[in-house]
Amino acid sequence: MSKRKSNFLKVKCGDCGNQQVVFDHAASKVECIICGKSLVKSKGGKSEIVAQIVEVLD
Ligand SMILES: [Zn+2]
């Protein structure tokens, strides 16, 4: 269980303050549902969280 690598994260958009839940191993980029700002970028097969992480969910 502790070796699990993937998590759901609650992130906060730096532009509009919207909070939404994203998967930290998303295969593609994730954008804010309100303003469209990138929250997760896809980089070489790995995802990079570019928003503020508010909470790690599991
Ligand atoms: Zn936003």
Side-chain angles (χ1 to χ4, degrees):
M1 268 216 215
S2 59
K3 288 188 175 179
R4 184 170 47 185
K5 285 181 174 178
S6 302
N7 286 99
F8 286 97
L9 306 171
K10 186 183 285 184
V11 299
K12 183 177 181 180
C13 175
D15 277 9
C16 72
N18 169 55
Q19 294 187 7
Q20 69 187 69
V21 175
V22 302
F23 186 53
D24 76 346
H25 276 54
S28 57
K29 63 179 181 172
V30 178
E31 295 174 342
C32 175
I33 57 172
I34 304 297
C35 72
K37 181 182 174 68
S38 292
L39 301 179
V40 180
K41 288 181 178 177
S42 186
K43 208 174 184 182
K46 284 185 69 177
S47 53
E48 178 187 3
I49 311 295
V50 292
Q52 179 188 348
I53 298 171
V54 177
E55 192 177 351
V56 177
L57 309 168
D58 54 13

